[in-house]
Amino acid sequence: MSNSVFEAPTLDHVGKTLRELRRSRRITIQQLAEGLNRSTGYVSQLERGLSQPTLKDLYAACTIFGVPMSWFVDLEEKQPDAEREKDIVVRSGQRRFMLHRGARTELLTPQLDSDVEFMMSTFEPGLETEPKNVPTSGAEYGYILKGCLELWVDEEKFELVEGDSYRFNRSSTYRSHNPSKTEPTIIIWVGVYK
């Protein structure tokens, strides 16, 4: 087993990661296959670690799920206690993350879960998100760790500062804005799906 940081991820890891992403976003194998312009059988083989995805497949998956290529890198082997910790601990320098228009969102759990998301988002100064309406049941809970946030839930505005927290139904329309011109806003949030 090599300790090279540049070692290619294993087929099992790539397949497991694709399956986690697909399930957490509640996408069927058929929907993912259509997005990749592949057959459902091929996607099933990818998820089971039986086929090697092409670079084009991985780029397309990154676009579909909104994650960087680094999401597919297997960091577990690179840490001394990786085997013991892999399903329990996420080290601060080893978090998976997504970048999207001035926001960085980090996964705070070892794997994605279709029932709960536990994340930390950093909003750059001035960032305003687009209105979202997730057609699922459940709720989102958040805590402002640093900075301030303007939050609209069903067009009602709330001004939050460091130490404040919130909860709203996932079926609500919501958007947010970091009103600071100089300071980032850091939010710890949990999405719970029923």
Side-chain angles (χ1 to χ4, degrees), residues 128 150-157 173-177:
E128 184 164 349
E150 295 175 343
L151 175 67
W152 287 264
V153 178
D154 292 330
E155 294 306 314
E156 186 172 354
K157 182 180 177 182
T173 299
Y174 59 96
R175 64 187 169 98
S176 52
H177 173 237

Side-chain angles (χ1 to χ4, degrees), residues 121-142:
S121 292
T122 303
F123 287 8
E124 293 300 317
L127 175 72
E128 184 164 349
T129 64
E130 296 292 321
K132 294 180 193 170
N133 181 271
V134 180
T136 61
S137 58
E140 182 171 313
Y141 302 82

Side-chain angles (χ1 to χ4, degrees), residues 91-111:
R91 298 290 177 185
S92 63
Q94 303 300 321
R95 292 185 194 127
R96 295 181 190 179
F97 67 92
M98 299 172 253
L99 297 173
H100 184 72
R101 297 183 184 150
R104 177 185 172 106
T105 299
E106 300 177 47
L107 181 64
L108 299 177
T109 53
Q111 289 115 11

Side-chain angles (χ1 to χ4, degrees), residues 110-175:
Q111 289 115 11
L112 289 166
D113 186 313
S114 60
D115 297 324
V116 177
E117 292 179 320
F118 181 39
M119 309 280 218
M120 179 170 66
S121 292
T122 303
F123 287 8
E124 293 300 317
L127 175 72
E128 184 164 349
T129 64
E130 296 292 321
K132 294 180 193 170
N133 181 271
V134 180
T136 61
S137 58
E140 182 171 313
Y141 302 82
Y143 175 78
I144 311 304
L145 189 63
K146 178 180 176 187
C148 54
L149 185 75
E150 295 175 343
L151 175 67
W152 287 264
V153 178
D154 292 330
E155 294 306 314
E156 186 172 354
K157 182 180 177 182
F158 302 91
E159 295 183 13
L160 305 168
V161 296
E162 196 169 304
D164 289 346
S165 55
Y166 62 84
R167 178 207 177 274
F168 59 82
N169 292 328
R170 294 290 290 199
S171 59
S172 299
T173 299
Y174 59 96
R175 64 187 169 98

